[in-house]
Structure formats: C-alpha cells, structure tokens
Amino acid sequence: MAVAMAACNLGLHFSVDKNIASATMLKASSVFDANATTTKPCYINLLNKTRMSSSGITIIPRATPVADVEDGNQGDTDTIPTPIVIIDQDSDLDATVVEITFGDRLGALLDTMNALKNLGLNVVKANVFLDSSGKHNKFCITKADTGRKVEDPEDLEAIRLTIINNLIQYHPESSSQLALGAAFGLIPPKEEVDVDIATHLTISDDGPERSLLYVETVDRPGLLVDIVTIITDISISVESGEFDTEGLLAKAKFHVNYKGKAIIRPLQQVLVNSLRYFLTRPSTEEASF
C-alpha cells in the first residue's frame, strides 16, 4: 500500500523580506536513483527571499475515498498508529531528507514519489528501515530544475502537505489521527487540542554563536512558513533545524542566532512572546470583516 509522502529535520538559513509571496510549485520530471548514498550536513540559504505566510500556501483538496490501499498490509484496525512526517535539512548537504512513519502500514510509496515529481522534485535515494515504532520510509529529494536541495520554506511546506494528503488518501484511517485531517480527510480528529495548553516554547544557549529554539504546538496548514516568518521578522537568523509532524502536533527545533551570536536574554523573551502570540491567537475568517 504505497502511500504519498515526503520531508522532515529542517536545516534552514533564512533572511526573509516582509512582502507576502505565494508558494511556488515547480514542474519537472522525477528521477529515482537508489544508488546515491552520500549524507552530509545541510543548510538552507534564503537570502533575498520574500516573506511568506500560510495564506500563500496551496492547500491540497480533501482526499477522496479509495477502494484499495496501494501496496502494503492494512494491519490491525483496532489500534491506529500515530502518523509521523519529518523534514530533515541537516543530514544531507545536497538533498532534503523526508521520513514517513505510520506503524507498519506503509508500502512502497510509489504514489508519494509520483506526487513529489508533480511538485518538480527528483527522488534521488530511498530506503526503508524497521524499529520498535514501525516501518520508516526515507527519501532524499532535490529540485528537478537545479539538482539542489529544496530551500524555499513554502516549497518545504508544500512537500509536507502533499505527503500528508497522500497519506490520508491511501490510509483514510490516518485522518482521525492528524490535525490536518480536518482540512484534507474524511474523518476529522475526535478531539480538538487546546492550542494554549499544547504550545510549548523554550530557548537556550547552544555555544557562543547560536541558541537552540524548541517549538511544540497544534499543527495547521502553513505552520512551518509562519514560524520561520515570525523568527526572521525580528531579525533573527535560522541556521538549521528539524520539523516534525506527529499526529495532532508539530514539533520543531531550530538553531538560531542574532548577527552571528547566541541570542541574549531580552531578545530571547521577545522571540518567545512573539511566537506564543502568533501561535495561540484565535483565527478570524476573512469573511467576517
């Protein structure tokens, strides 16, 4: 039961303007090369990129019911595992690494690779490994037009949403386990997580030249772009990081600095207050204005 998916551990280096831009969807062919093996640290360089917001993200339509699951075993229906999608920008210098886990229910994920191809991406390496948490499908992906790793945060968010949408399409039971199941799925989550309770923010020194920011909050479309925009709006640079979608929650770690130095205490408080405000404030529909 091949499911669609892609991207997590986020290594970013951003300098973002304050003009809102729309997500770019690339269109090119996809290549699968199972022989590529090199893994190195990686960083995203977004100098001169325009500001993004969740309104600029292309939302994929709701998944429609499917009669068959692609390749793989449906497994027990009594206990539904927690879906996990990881976007990793640190472990490979030349490619964005995506890892997808859904217990032992995932197959070869050929449809996921085709969906990534439709975003203008190449799958240059793929592997599978098992542990106590289930079957882990991992892809290394690059932009088809340049052969380089994905650098735009809106493109990374589009990858994340595409993978989750494909997961819901081929495994409808995952919809109730994902916050985005309310947007894409047939079965919304049974419980709604209180964003004030679920949001946790910490920042600590990580040597003299950078700090470590941890963010945990309720997942939503466009969240990755929103977090990066909030950070860079107060002139803080994001060097690298990791972005995990775990069921109803999103968890991220970012190495950040201010002008090449660890963030001082007063600025740490400004950053935490800004993130908490934007992540927990009530959403207002545009139609209400």
Side-chain angles (χ1 to χ4, degrees):
M1 51 187 169
V3 150
M5 59 172 259
C8 198
N9 232 16
L10 188 61
L12 308 171
H13 187 77
F14 296 143
S15 177
V16 184
D17 295 333
K18 295 186 178 181
N19 299 316
I20 296 177
S22 61
T24 300
M25 290 298 195
L26 305 173
K27 298 181 180 178
S29 61
S30 176
V31 176
F32 180 81
D33 177 5
N35 296 321
T37 57
T38 303
T39 57
K40 310 172 189 173
C42 61
Y43 299 94
I44 284 182
N45 189 357
L46 290 181
L47 296 177
N48 300 321
K49 298 297 291 184
T50 53
R51 172 177 175 174
M52 311 295 184
S53 72
S54 58
S55 62
I57 294 296
T58 299
I59 303 300
I60 300 107
R62 285 175 176 266
T64 55
V66 292
D68 301 310
V69 176
E70 199 183 351
D71 13 53
N73 298 320
Q74 183 61 44
D76 295 335
T77 57
D78 294 335
T79 303
I80 301 174
T82 299
I84 299 174
V85 177
I86 298 172
I87 299 177
D88 174 2
Q89 293 287 71
D90 283 332
S91 64
D92 194 305
L93 179 63
D94 302 315
T96 296
V97 179
V98 177
E99 183 179 324
I100 307 161
T101 306
F102 187 43
D104 61 356
R105 303 189 179 199
L106 298 181
L109 299 179
L110 298 178
D111 279 323
T112 293
M113 288 189 279
N114 286 332
L116 295 176
K117 173 183 176 180
N118 292 335
L119 293 180
L121 303 169
N122 289 337
V123 179
V124 296
K125 183 174 65 174
N127 60 64
V128 177
F129 65 92
L130 299 171
D131 62 16
S132 59
S133 64
K135 180 180 179 182
H136 301 254
N137 295 67
K138 186 176 287 188
F139 298 122
C140 292
I141 57 179
T142 61
K143 296 174 66 175
D145 59 345
T146 65
R148 297 178 179 274
K149 69 189 303 176
V150 183
E151 298 180 345
D152 191 324
E154 288 217 5
D155 290 340
L156 291 170
E157 179 70 349
I159 290 169
R160 186 177 79 97
L161 297 185
T162 297
I163 291 170
I164 291 173
N165 184 63
N166 286 336
L167 179 62
I168 292 173
Q169 180 179 357
Y170 287 98
H171 295 274
E173 73 276 16
S174 69
S175 175
S176 63
Q177 303 294 103
L178 289 160
L180 298 182
F184 302 153
L186 299 170
I187 307 171
K190 295 179 181 179
E191 300 179 0
E192 184 173 338
V193 181
D194 189 313
V195 68
D196 290 306
I197 296 175
T199 299
H200 302 283
L201 303 162
T202 60
I203 185 167
S204 57
D205 291 339
D206 186 30
E209 298 181 350
R210 65 183 187 179
S211 301
L212 179 64
L213 170 67
Y214 176 78
V215 180
E216 179 176 336
T217 191
V218 177
D219 193 20
R220 67 183 190 223
L223 181 61
L224 188 159
V225 176
D226 287 342
I227 291 175
V228 171
T229 302
I230 294 165
I231 296 172
T232 56
D233 272 354
I234 54 178
S235 301
I236 293 175
S237 299
V238 182
E239 295 180 7
S240 61
E242 171 184 333
F243 194 95
D244 301 353
T245 304
E246 296 185 14
L248 302 178
L249 299 177
K251 302 177 182 181
K253 292 185 293 183
F254 300 102
H255 290 292
V256 295
N257 71 76
Y258 179 71
K259 296 183 178 180
K261 301 294 182 181
I263 301 175
I264 61 175
R265 298 296 179 184
L267 188 55
Q268 287 184 13
Q269 192 61 52
V270 171
L271 175 57
V272 169
N273 290 346
S274 297
L275 285 167
R276 183 172 297 281
Y277 171 75
F278 284 103
L279 294 175
T280 62
R281 66 178 179 175
S283 59
T284 305
E285 298 294 336
E286 291 183 2
S288 65
F289 290 95

